[in-house]
Every structure is written in structure tokens, then in C-alpha cells.
Amino acid sequence: MPVTAETQAILDMRAGATPFNEMSPQDAREAMAALRPQGEPEPVAQVHDMVIPGPAGDIPARGYLPTDDPRELPTVVYFHGGGWVIGDLDSHDAVCRALANRVPTSVLSVDYRLAPEATYPAAADDCYAALEWITGMYAQQGGPSDQIAVAGDSAGGNLAAVVSQMARDRGGPQIAAQILIYPVTDFNFDTESYKVNGGGEYGLSEAGMRWFWNLYLNDDSEGAQPYASPLRAEDLSNLPRALTITAEYDSLRDEGEAYAAALSAAGNQSSCTRYDGVIHGFVGAFQAVPEGNQALDQIAAELRSAFGRE
């Protein structure tokens, strides 16, 4: 189907803007900050900025609580998108608030180290440390430690998939579900979705993704490693149940759907929904794009099911 009217309005608004890959990383971060939704944020009961211990020092994080009595709440550990280069706690504040209220769940948003200042696997190591930290906190406080999920969009979806593999490989925390929103799953540009959507007319271009990957990886050979490209893992069995969300007009569409199919083929509970007529980033634009709202409702339902709270 053609792009939706709401999606076209976003594309028209962004027409003529300098692509991120033609900027310095710092300028790209500032440009992304300018795209944040305006207006009053969706209210939640509590929001706390904090730091948690990481492998290279403290990791900034933000916690969201939909109620003043969080003792029995599940938790979603959220990893923001932005190609491992841009994005922060503020860029994904609206999504985290929406998830907290719609599930309901506590949300821990992780401000992992960014490239090129910290290259692969720094982001993944920080995200795994955050998962271990919250699991340890649950164990100390008597919370439902078997009700922790990971979620992320784009590069954050990559990190959610990678953290799920890390937890399995290392005998680490139990993960109830992985929510992969148009995830990066493979260092590979030879897909049909790159061919038809990668020219830049729909936002995320092949040139843009090459720029992100080049800043994230120390060497192209690292792109074959499963903690960079989770689709490359030799063994995809015994992973958490997964919901993958993709967009029709997205360069990353095919690799996200390929990963969902590979998870299913390996015996995992895995479902995938493609939202037609929309572009990469549509979930983050849920205040303007109806399909973003639909996807958030679907994600919330999946998490309630995974947490046994339907």
C-alpha cells in the first residue's frame, strides 16, 4: 500500500534536511534531539534518573513507574535506537512512558555508551550489565525476577536480541520476552528492503546504515559476530519468546523478518507483524501515526501475556 497520510506528512516535514550520515556524530545527536516530540509528556506516577554500575563505569538510566506501589510490577529494560551513535534517555522518553502505562510495568531505560567514542561491543556490554543489575535488585527486594523483559527499537532492537543471546550463552538472567522493534539483525545490505527502501526517500537509507555500522564496528569483520549481527548466530535455540515489529517502507524490514523466522525455526515462540504504509521510526512517532499506537498496544498485550498478567 502507499505510505499513509500521517507518514507522508512526516516525510514532507523532513524533506530537505541534512541526512545524519552527512554530519558529525555530535551534530547528528543534536539534530535528533530537535526531532523530539513537543508538548507535555504523558504522565506516569514516578520517573527517576539514576546511574547503575557498568563494565566501564556508571551507566545513566531512567526508571518509570506507573503506580506508587511498584512492589509486584514486572519490568521492561528498554534500549533506545539511534544506530548505536545517536539517541538518549530523552529521545525515547515518550515510548517508555507509554509502555509503563499500557502494560502496566516498570521500565528501565538504559543510556548505554555510544559510538564512535565507545565501539562494539561496548553498547551490548552496558545493556547486559543493566539486565544483570535489575535482576539483582529484584532478588534483593523480593520482586518477581522471572518477569523481566528486554525491548528496543532499531539499534536498540539489535541490543535486545543480543542481550537475549548473551543471557542464554552465559547462564545469565531469565528473560520473559524480547520485543524487537524494526531491529538491526545483520551486517548485510543485500536485501530487497534495502533495494526498494534504501535510497533515502523513506528516511533511513542504506548510506545512513553504512555510516552507523562504520562508526560502531572497529572492523567490518566484526559484523559477522553474533553479538553484532544476531542473525548470524549458529544456534538460535532456547531464546526468550519474541515479538518483532517491522515497517513496510524500512530498509531494515527484511532482516527483522528473517530473524523472527529464524527464531521460530529454532523452536522458539516467535511472532512478527509488518505494519504497512509506514516507515522506520513509526512507533516512536505514535503521537502522530495511528499505526504506532496500534503497535504499542500490540507490544503491551504481548508483554502482559509473557508476564502472565492477561
Side-chain angles (χ1 to χ4, degrees), residues 3-304:
V3 296
T4 66
E6 295 86 357
T7 300
Q8 188 60 56
I10 291 173
L11 292 172
D12 291 344
M13 180 184 67
R14 296 178 182 174
T18 302
F20 291 144
N21 55 286
E22 296 180 11
M23 304 180 188
S24 69
Q26 185 55 41
D27 286 346
R29 292 165 189 162
E30 293 173 4
M32 185 173 184
L35 297 175
R36 293 170 190 159
Q38 303 300 308
E40 289 297 316
E42 179 178 335
V44 294
Q46 297 182 41
V47 179
H48 299 287
D49 285 345
M50 64 189 85
V51 292
I52 58 179
D58 287 341
I59 304 168
R62 181 174 295 165
Y64 301 83
L65 295 173
T67 173
D68 288 321
D69 185 14
R71 287 173 292 180
E72 295 302 318
L73 284 174
T75 291
V76 174
V77 187
Y78 195 89
F79 311 128
H80 68 77
W84 312 281
V85 175
I86 59 180
D88 55 24
L89 299 177
D90 291 333
S91 65
H92 288 66
D93 180 74
V95 167
C96 291
R97 289 171 179 267
L99 283 176
N101 286 330
R102 293 187 195 201
V103 176
T105 181
S106 66
V107 176
L108 178 69
S109 182
V110 182
D111 200 12
Y112 53 86
R113 287 173 289 164
L114 297 177
E117 294 86 351
T119 51
Y120 171 82
D125 288 343
D126 282 1
C127 291
Y128 185 71
L131 173 67
E132 289 193 307
W133 178 82
I134 194 64
T135 304
M137 290 294 292
Y138 267 53
Q140 291 177 20
Q141 298 173 5
S145 59
D146 61 340
Q147 296 189 15
I148 297 174
V150 294
D153 63 288
S154 195
N158 167 278
L159 294 168
V162 167
V163 164
S164 297
Q165 291 190 21
M166 286 179 163
R168 179 203 60 184
D169 296 345
R170 300 173 181 179
Q174 179 180 349
I175 298 172
Q178 50 180 324
I179 306 298
L180 313 178
I181 305 170
Y182 28 80
V184 185
T185 68
D186 196 12
F187 181 54
N188 170 32
F189 307 98
D190 188 23
T191 64
E192 183 65 18
S193 58
Y194 265 113
K195 293 174 184 174
V196 299
N197 299 323
E201 63 271 35
Y202 300 118
L204 182 63
S205 67
E206 178 180 338
M209 274 308 303
R210 287 184 181 275
W211 183 74
F212 285 131
W213 273 113
N214 287 340
L215 291 172
Y216 182 49
L217 301 178
N218 300 285
D219 182 271
D220 282 358
S221 65
E222 292 179 335
Q225 298 180 17
Y227 291 168
S229 294
L231 185 58
R232 306 281 188 102
E234 293 184 4
D235 180 10
L236 288 173
S237 64
N238 299 312
L239 288 168
R241 65 185 282 176
L243 170 64
T244 303
I245 301 292
T246 64
E248 179 181 9
Y249 293 97
D250 183 4
S251 298
L252 303 181
R253 182 194 69 207
D254 290 357
E255 64 193 79
E257 294 174 2
Y259 191 63
L263 288 174
S264 182
N268 305 290
Q269 182 176 341
S270 173
S271 61
C272 181
T273 300
R274 178 192 295 186
Y275 283 80
D276 290 332
V278 293
I279 60 175
H280 189 81
F282 79 97
V283 175
F286 70 95
Q287 292 155 319
V289 178
E291 290 79 5
N293 256 313
Q294 295 169 22
L296 283 174
D297 285 343
Q298 181 185 7
I299 290 165
E302 172 71 12
L303 287 168
R304 284 194 295 272

